[in-house]
């Protein structure tokens, strides 16, 4: 058996050996095989915009404090990519913004809209490409009427805003290919950009280059240095991951907000560090703390036309009766006054409320200081007089800016107020166009406009508005949006000489000599006219600084110490200690 198995294995070895020999002989006679080509590495596919931008979240901070959160998402309209950005800004009076950008195949904007909801009041900015130019319309409810700027050319590659948002920078990151992002710093990407929140929007050149300072770069990202020629905030650093085309962060070391935004939120004045950073979850701010020594009460008050007004009543502990201040919101779409707790600690009951259509108050928002708003002031004052803790003989009305105009109209009839303190609103001329002219000049000064720019903006705004009024139009349509012109006519019809001349209540009119928004010469002329007419009970006081800033308020107090002392002394003279 063993001999049989051994023979079998010898036979197998012999067959294998013969096969190897024959194979070697065939290989010697056959031509050499053609080598296989080295395979070419297939590049990683460039991520599509909908893959990059869907469900991105960002936190925006200002000097280290959370300012806003934003979430991006993507859709399609008519086979075009549409990117949406939903932003919530924190601070006095929550603000919600929705941005919508329709992109061309080359990722250039075809249509853009920004809808800003401030305390429920919507302002709109629209940019629409038409051929080789773009038409722009701003309908800011904090301004008199819509402004149309046509035929801006060439069409920009990118739309940006002075109101900070992650969306334009996320779109910028999409336009930077991996090759461009990693080239030598001497080469740069050049784009045409347009700020849609600029009152006089113009194309500006933006350059983006590889930054040599990679100290803050997240692992896997590169830092890019951006510069906007003649921009309000010209320099920034952007962090992105080239392979994914995804935005990770943006930093402006020296960032300033626009004039109107600073007026809406005094905390945004000055220059500071702005950061936009990608986050996995949107952070939340804690509810504002309430002072333990003050009683807070949310109230509903019947206003004009039967609509309810939402208010906040702050009062000291104890039964009273206390003197009371009705502090109107500043008017327009500005947030409620801040720092009212200081007044409560001085012994006042303080009531502030939202006008019609603002916040939780019912009714339609009034863009001009109308008689309906003045009727609300009287009704709210009468409600305050019914409170058991309030001294009915010591109720004082306070209003600044447009609220000062509303206050002047409120006290021109019988009212429950023992005195009124009104500021930063006065002129002897019709409020439109006189105040509009002054405020356009202020915008020109802050925007660095030359004489040509100023005249262009006057043509797009003031002259156009006056033309609409002369034509008797009640409503106007621009870029698919409609706006009422009734408030513009209301501004034109207000006469403060007649209104203050009919005041039924002693009035202290305050004004800042350095106030640009409502120049002091109008108040001085108004004082002279009223004195010449023998009007008594209306007194004027002038401060050295810009009153709108001093009374704008902050987290600690509603106005400056100088104003506090002056108003306190005047009220003691009128009401007693």
């Amino acid at each position: 058996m063993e001999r049989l198995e051994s023979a079998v294995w010898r036979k197998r070895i012999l067959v294998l050996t013969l096969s190897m020999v024959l194979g070697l002989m065939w290989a010697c006679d056959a031509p050499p095989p053609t080598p296989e080509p080295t395979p070419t590495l297939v590049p990683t596919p460039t991520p599509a915009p909908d893959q990059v931008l869907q469900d991105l979240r960002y936190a925006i901070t200002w000097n280290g404090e959370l300012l806003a959160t934003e979430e991006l998402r993507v859709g399609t309209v008519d086979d075009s990519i549409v990117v949406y950005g939903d932003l919530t800004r924190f601070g006095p009076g929550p603000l919600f913004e929705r941005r919508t950008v329709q992109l061309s195949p080359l990722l250039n904007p075809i249509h853009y809209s920004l809808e800003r909801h401030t305390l429920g009041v919507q302002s709109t900015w629209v940019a629409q490409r038409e051929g080789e130019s773009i038409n722009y319309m701003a309908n800011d409810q904090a301004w008199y009427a819509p402004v149309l700027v046509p035929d801006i050319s060439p069409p920009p590659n990118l739309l940006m805003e002075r109101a900070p948002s992650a969306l334009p920078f996320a779109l910028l990151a999409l336009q930077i290919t991996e090759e461009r992002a990693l080239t030598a710093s001497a080469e740069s990407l050049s784009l045409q950009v347009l700020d849609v929140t600029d009152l006089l929007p113009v194309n500006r050149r933006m350059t983006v280059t590889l930054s040599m300072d990679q100290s803050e770069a997240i692992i896997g990202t590169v830092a890019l240095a951006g510069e906007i020629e003649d921009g309000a905030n010209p320099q920034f650093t952007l962090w992105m991951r080239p392979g994914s085309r995804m935005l990770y962060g943006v930093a402006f070391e020296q960032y300033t907000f626009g004039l109107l935004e600073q007026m809406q939120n005094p905390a945004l004045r000055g220059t500071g560090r702005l950061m936009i950073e990608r986050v996995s979850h949107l952070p939340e701010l804690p509810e504002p703390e309430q002072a333990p020594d003050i009683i807070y009460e949310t109230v509903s008050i019947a206003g004009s036309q039967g609509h309810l007004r939402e208010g906040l009543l702050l009062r000291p502990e104890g039964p009273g009766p206390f003197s009371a201040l009705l502090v109107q919101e500043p008017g327009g779409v500005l947030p409620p006054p801040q720092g009212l707790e200081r007044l409560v600690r001085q012994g006042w009951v303080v009531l502030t409320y939202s006008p019609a259509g603002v916040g939780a108050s019912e009714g339609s928002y009034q863009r001009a200081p109308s008689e309906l708003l003045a009727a609300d002031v009287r009704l709210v004052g009468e409600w305050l007089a019914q409170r058991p803790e309030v001294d009915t003989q010591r109720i004082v009305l306070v209003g600044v800016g447009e609220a000062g105009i509303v206050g002047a109209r409120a006290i021109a009839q019988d009212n429950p107020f023992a005195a009124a303190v009104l500021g930063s609103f006065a002129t002897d001329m019709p409020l439109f166009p006189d105040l509009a002219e002054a405020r356009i000049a202020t915008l020109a000064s802050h925007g660095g406009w030359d004489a040509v720019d100023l005249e262009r903006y006057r043509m797009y705004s003031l002259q156009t508005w006056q033309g609409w009024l002369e034509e008797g139009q009640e409503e106007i349509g621009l870029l698919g949006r409609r706006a009422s012109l009734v408030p513009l006519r209301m501004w034109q019809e207000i006469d403060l000489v007649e209104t203050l001349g009919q005041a039924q209540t002693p009035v202290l009119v305050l004004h800042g000599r350095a106030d640009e928004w409502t120049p002091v010469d109008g108040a001085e002329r108004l004082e002279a006219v009223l004195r010449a007419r023998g009007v008594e009970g209306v007194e004027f006081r002038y401060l050295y600084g810009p009153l709108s800033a001093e009374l704008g308020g902050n987290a600690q107090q509603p106005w400056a110490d100088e104003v506090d002392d002056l108003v306190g002394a005047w009220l003691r003279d009128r009401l007693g200690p």
Side-chain angles (χ1 to χ4, degrees):
M1 185 66 177
E2 292 180 357
R3 286 196 299 270
L4 179 60
E5 290 178 354
S6 178
V8 171
W9 276 107
R10 285 196 298 272
K11 184 177 180 180
R12 289 178 176 175
I13 293 172
L14 178 61
V15 172
L16 178 61
T17 303
L18 289 173
S19 299
M20 293 176 64
V21 171
L22 291 173
L24 289 172
M25 291 174 64
W26 176 83
C28 291
D29 294 338
T34 303
E36 289 291 333
T38 303
T40 302
L41 295 177
V42 178
T44 303
T46 300
D50 57 344
Q51 297 174 320
V52 177
L53 298 175
Q54 189 68 32
D55 297 328
L56 287 180
R57 300 172 183 86
Y58 294 91
I60 303 174
T61 58
W62 166 251
N63 289 329
E65 298 291 330
L66 183 61
L67 176 68
T69 62
E70 187 171 12
E71 187 167 11
L72 307 185
R73 55 190 175 86
V74 182
T76 57
V77 173
D78 298 330
D79 297 326
S80 296
I81 296 172
V82 179
V83 187
Y84 304 92
D86 290 343
L87 181 147
T88 300
R89 189 183 302 175
F90 301 101
L95 179 150
F96 173 77
E97 296 176 345
R98 169 159 292 171
R99 293 165 174 81
T100 305
V101 184
Q102 183 179 359
L103 300 174
S104 74
L106 296 178
L107 303 181
N108 293 321
I110 301 173
H111 178 86
Y112 165 93
S113 68
L114 164 61
E115 296 177 351
R116 175 178 293 170
H117 299 262
T118 307
L119 299 169
V121 178
Q122 179 178 311
S123 299
T124 306
W125 290 259
V126 177
Q128 177 70 49
R129 180 166 178 169
E130 299 290 344
E132 294 306 311
S133 65
I134 196 167
N135 295 323
Y136 163 85
M137 187 273 291
N139 188 16
D140 187 347
Q141 295 292 332
W143 199 225
Y144 295 95
V147 176
L148 175 68
V149 181
D151 301 326
I152 303 172
S153 61
N157 307 109
L158 190 69
L159 296 172
M160 302 187 73
E161 302 166 18
R162 197 158 178 184
S165 163
L167 178 57
F169 297 100
L171 296 178
L172 174 61
L174 280 178
Q175 298 195 31
I176 301 175
T177 64
E178 184 169 358
E179 292 77 13
R180 273 179 171 155
L182 299 178
T183 52
S185 61
E187 299 184 14
S188 63
L189 172 66
S190 180
L191 299 170
Q192 291 286 333
V193 301
L194 184 141
D195 182 349
V196 294
T197 56
D198 194 345
L199 293 165
L200 192 62
V202 295
N203 276 318
R204 304 183 190 277
R205 181 172 176 264
M206 173 198 285
T207 57
V208 182
T209 60
L210 185 66
S211 173
M212 294 296 97
D213 182 8
Q214 300 289 328
S215 59
E216 293 189 70
I218 304 168
I219 295 176
T221 68
V222 296
L224 304 172
E227 184 165 353
I228 304 174
E229 188 176 39
D230 298 326
N233 297 293
Q235 296 179 330
F236 62 90
T237 302
L238 179 148
W239 292 275
M240 64 168 293
R241 183 167 290 167
S244 66
R245 309 169 80 189
M246 186 177 293
L247 173 71
Y248 276 79
V250 183
F252 288 83
E253 298 300 330
Q254 300 291 323
Y255 193 91
T256 58
F257 288 86
L259 174 64
L260 295 180
E261 291 181 313
Q262 293 181 39
M263 293 177 63
Q264 291 174 345
N265 185 357
L268 301 181
R269 292 171 181 155
T271 300
R273 190 172 199 253
L274 183 83
M275 283 290 300
I276 301 174
E277 299 175 278
R278 182 174 176 242
V279 294
S280 56
H281 297 90
L282 296 180
E284 295 182 0
L285 281 183
E287 293 292 327
E289 296 183 1
Q290 295 185 343
D293 58 331
I294 292 174
I295 299 173
Y296 297 80
E297 183 180 349
T298 300
V299 297
S300 293
I301 306 167
S304 59
Q305 300 181 322
H307 293 143
L308 294 179
R309 306 288 177 248
E310 181 192 57
L312 178 64
L313 185 75
L314 292 76
R315 57 187 175 90
E317 296 179 342
F322 302 103
S323 302
L325 294 174
L326 173 54
V327 182
Q328 299 178 80
E329 293 191 0
V333 287
L334 298 179
Q338 302 295 296
L340 299 177
E341 287 81 1
R342 174 175 174 171
L343 298 174
V344 179
R345 294 190 179 101
Q346 295 174 356
W348 295 91
V349 169
V350 180
L351 173 64
T352 183
Y353 72 97
S354 298
V358 177
S361 290
E362 298 174 346
S364 300
Y365 170 70
Q366 296 286 332
R367 196 166 182 167
S370 67
E371 177 53 39
L372 286 177
L373 296 179
D376 274 349
V377 171
R378 292 188 290 269
L379 290 172
V380 172
E382 291 169 1
W383 178 90
L384 188 58
Q386 301 302 314
R387 296 285 299 200
E389 65 270 70
V390 170
D391 183 344
T392 59
Q393 303 302 310
R394 299 173 66 90
I395 301 176
V396 179
L397 175 64
V398 178
V400 177
E402 289 184 24
I405 302 170
V406 173
R409 303 189 77 174
I411 62 174
Q413 300 181 26
D414 290 339
N415 63 83
F417 304 108
V421 179
L422 311 176
S424 192
F425 73 99
T427 178
D428 68 322
M429 305 287 287
L431 292 175
F432 180 83
D434 185 58
L435 281 186
E437 286 275 17
R439 291 170 179 178
I440 289 174
T442 300
L443 298 176
S445 174
H446 281 261
W449 301 349
D450 59 19
V452 174
D453 291 334
L454 174 59
E455 190 55 35
R456 282 180 60 218
Y457 189 76
R458 289 185 74 257
M459 177 182 66
Y460 295 142
S461 58
L462 185 62
Q463 294 176 12
T464 299
W465 300 337
Q466 290 175 313
W468 291 339
L469 293 176
E470 291 172 1
E471 294 168 1
Q473 297 194 53
E474 296 294 319
E475 191 177 60
I476 192 71
L478 299 172
L479 296 186
R481 308 296 177 104
R482 304 201 68 81
S484 172
L485 299 181
V486 173
L488 195 60
R489 196 172 301 282
M490 291 182 185
W491 276 103
Q492 189 180 47
E493 294 172 351
I494 296 173
D495 185 341
L496 288 178
V497 173
E498 295 297 327
T499 301
L500 283 175
Q502 298 170 11
Q504 306 293 306
T505 298
V507 186
L508 174 63
V509 177
L510 298 176
H511 213 291
R513 294 198 178 278
D515 194 338
E516 298 175 280
W517 198 239
T518 308
V520 68
D521 57 347
E524 292 173 334
R525 293 194 309 268
L526 177 61
E527 180 184 14
V529 172
L530 293 176
R531 186 184 301 115
R533 293 190 177 189
V535 174
E536 299 180 355
V538 181
E539 302 179 50
F540 287 73
R541 298 287 188 276
Y542 299 95
L543 304 159
Y544 291 105
L547 182 61
S548 56
E550 292 175 345
L551 288 186
N554 54 48
Q556 287 73 44
Q557 62 187 81
W559 47 55
D561 290 337
E562 179 189 5
V563 180
D564 201 6
D565 295 340
L566 190 155
V567 171
W570 185 82
L571 288 176
R572 284 191 294 273
D573 289 343
R574 296 297 171 278
L575 307 179

